[in-house]
Amino acid sequence: MTVGRAVVTGEPVGSCADYEEDCGIREVLDRIGDKWSVLVIVELAQGVRRFRALQRAVPGISQRMLTLTVRRLERDGVISRTVHATIPPQVEYELTATGHSLTHLVKALADWSAEHHQVIADARRRWDTANPDSGIR
Amino acid sequence: MTVGRAVVTGEPVGSCADYEEDCGIREVLDRIGDKWSVLVIVELAQGVRRFRALQRAVPGISQRMLTLTVRRLERDGVISRTVHATIPPQVEYELTATGHSLTHLVKALADWSAEHHQVIADARRRWDTANPDSGIR
DNA sequence: CAGCATCCTTCTCGATACTG
DNA sequence: CAGTATCGAGAAGGATGCTG
């Protein structure tokens, strides 16, 4: 049994070995697991955006990280990059079909977060109070 | 409008600023975004596990990383840690209610991955072929 | 405007050794 | 068994300067 089949059929998830080998969840987590990718996807969910517009829309992102992020998302086929040979240059980024379906997943994450972030925050506060200088964060 | 409300009500996601401020999605991604946490959660979804059992079940994890991972998950209230004062010591880890609900989210991730990992793999191969030494990965 | 190249700091993680 | 402590390599990420 693989995780993929297990999940699709609603069966319990298999072993970690199965998990590691068969399902591509790692690829997905490697991409959306980092801060900037999710923010870029959320912004592009609104529509087509140019490079500078993206940078303005995602507060705190450096030019370097935006470049890296959009390149990786493009590589994964999550977004498309269209260059208009104008002066000044104009590059537009847009979610692909895959990218749009990813927004559903992001929503699932946001749903779960909205439902549990208070509980988690409380748990963390309790833990930090009970274990002052544990170094864990 | 916040992402949280937007998602719950099915409306489109708001701005990145909203996203950053209001919803706890970052907390969640920070935790399940790393490799080991997900693997530990998947294993604990099967039932109660002792420290060594977890380490054996998660191939490749170091003792240090397992300790860090379970501590962080415990801090978040995702798993519970029960110490039995025996010799040799016996410590059992178990998913909390929050942890169990997290497995649904992991399944959603696995679902999406199962549906798209082939498309993503193909996109990556095409991109890598088209852009040999780009350095992007 | 839309990047690329470089430097440099910070953090992560694995390996190793030791303890109750 | 179930950890803690320490060290070092490497990756990630920010700042800066330059370019078509």
Side-chain angles (χ1 to χ4, degrees), chain A residues 79-97:
Chain A
I79 69 177
S80 66
R81 178 174 177 270
T82 309
V83 180
H84 300 278
T86 57
I87 295 178
Q90 180 168 346
V91 179
E92 289 180 331
Y93 294 94
E94 189 173 6
L95 290 183
T96 62

Side-chain angles (χ1 to χ4, degrees), chain A residues 3-17 19-20 22-36 38-40 42-43 45-46 57-59 67-68 71-72 74-78 97-99 101-121 123-125 127-128 136-137, chain B residues 3-17 19-20 22-36 38-40 42-43 45-46 57-59 67-68 71-72 74-78 97-99 101-121 123-125 127-128 136-137:
Chain A
V3 170
R5 283 195 295 275
V7 168
V8 169
T9 58
E11 296 165 26
V13 168
S15 75
C16 287
Y19 175 94
E20 288 244 86
D22 293 329
C23 91
I25 195 173
R26 254 298 111 213
E27 300 175 350
V28 180
L29 282 174
D30 283 344
R31 195 56 55 236
I32 72 166
D34 72 297
K35 181 173 185 171
W36 303 124
V38 182
L39 295 176
V40 167
V42 166
E43 179 61 24
Q46 317 287 311
V58 180
T67 300
L68 282 175
R71 283 297 176 284
R72 293 199 266 244
E74 188 196 359
R75 174 172 180 257
D76 288 354
V78 167
T98 302
S101 81
L102 232 190
T103 63
H104 299 337
L105 192 56
V106 171
K107 286 192 178 192
L109 281 162
D111 272 344
W112 195 93
S113 302
E115 288 169 28
H116 296 89
H117 85 278
Q118 191 57 60
V119 173
I120 291 177
R124 285 183 181 175
R125 202 166 35 258
W127 202 92
D128 291 346
I136 301 292
R137 298 280 113 67
Chain B
V3 170
R5 284 194 294 276
V7 167
V8 169
T9 58
E11 295 166 26
V13 168
S15 75
C16 286
Y19 175 96
E20 288 245 85
D22 294 329
C23 91
I25 196 172
R26 255 297 110 212
E27 299 175 350
V28 180
L29 282 174
D30 284 343
R31 196 55 57 235
I32 72 167
D34 72 296
K35 180 174 186 171
W36 303 125
V38 182
L39 296 176
V40 167
V42 166
E43 179 60 24
Q46 318 287 311
V58 179
T67 300
L68 281 176
R71 283 294 176 287
R72 292 199 264 243
E74 188 197 359
R75 175 172 179 256
D76 289 354
V78 166
T98 302
S101 81
L102 232 191
T103 63
H104 299 336
L105 193 55
V106 171
K107 287 191 177 193
L109 280 161
D111 273 344
W112 194 92
S113 302
E115 288 169 28
H116 297 88
H117 84 278
Q118 192 56 60
V119 173
I120 291 177
R124 284 183 181 176
R125 201 164 38 256
W127 203 92
D128 291 344
I136 300 291
R137 299 277 121 44

